[in-house]
Amino acid sequence: QNYLDNFWPDLKAAHELFESILQARRERESESQENKGKEYPEHLPVEILEAGIKSGRYIQGTLSVNKHRAQVEAFVRLQGFGSKETG
């Protein structure tokens, strides 16, 4: 802001762009605070997921996606199983 004010006081487009970026940043920070610092909102609360994993209703693993064929090729490596056992 100071740079624009001091060196480009008449460049209205630059000032508008700066204000737009500043507003977008404020909105993102506000959303981040609402989500408690998480980038994406959770689908289920952690307590339900942990209980589901313990009961066997849910499984825990690592998702691997083929970067060249992401729409059609992915697999989940289950935790606690050998590297050859995937689903």
Side-chain angles (χ1 to χ4, degrees), residues 19-58:
E19 289 300 323
S20 174
I21 292 170
L22 191 60
Q23 180 63 29
R25 184 177 173 196
R26 287 180 188 142
E27 289 174 8
R28 192 169 86 183
E29 288 173 355
S30 174
E31 289 173 1
S32 178
Q33 289 175 354
E34 290 173 6
N35 293 332
K36 299 177 184 167
K38 297 177 183 172
E39 190 171 347
Y40 300 102
E42 296 175 350
H43 293 285
L44 293 173
V46 173
E47 298 82 22
I48 292 175
L49 290 175
E50 288 174 345
I53 290 170
K54 285 181 182 179
S55 70
R57 181 174 182 184
Y58 302 126

Side-chain angles (χ1 to χ4, degrees), residues 7 20 25 33 36 42 47 60 63 65 69 76 79:
F7 295 101
S20 174
R25 184 177 173 196
Q33 289 175 354
K36 299 177 184 167
E42 296 175 350
E47 298 82 22
Q60 186 172 2
L63 175 66
V65 179
R69 301 182 57 191
V76 175
Q79 291 184 354

Side-chain angles (χ1 to χ4, degrees), residues 4 7-16:
L4 290 174
F7 295 101
W8 303 97
D10 299 327
L11 192 57
K12 186 176 180 179
H15 286 271
E16 289 174 357

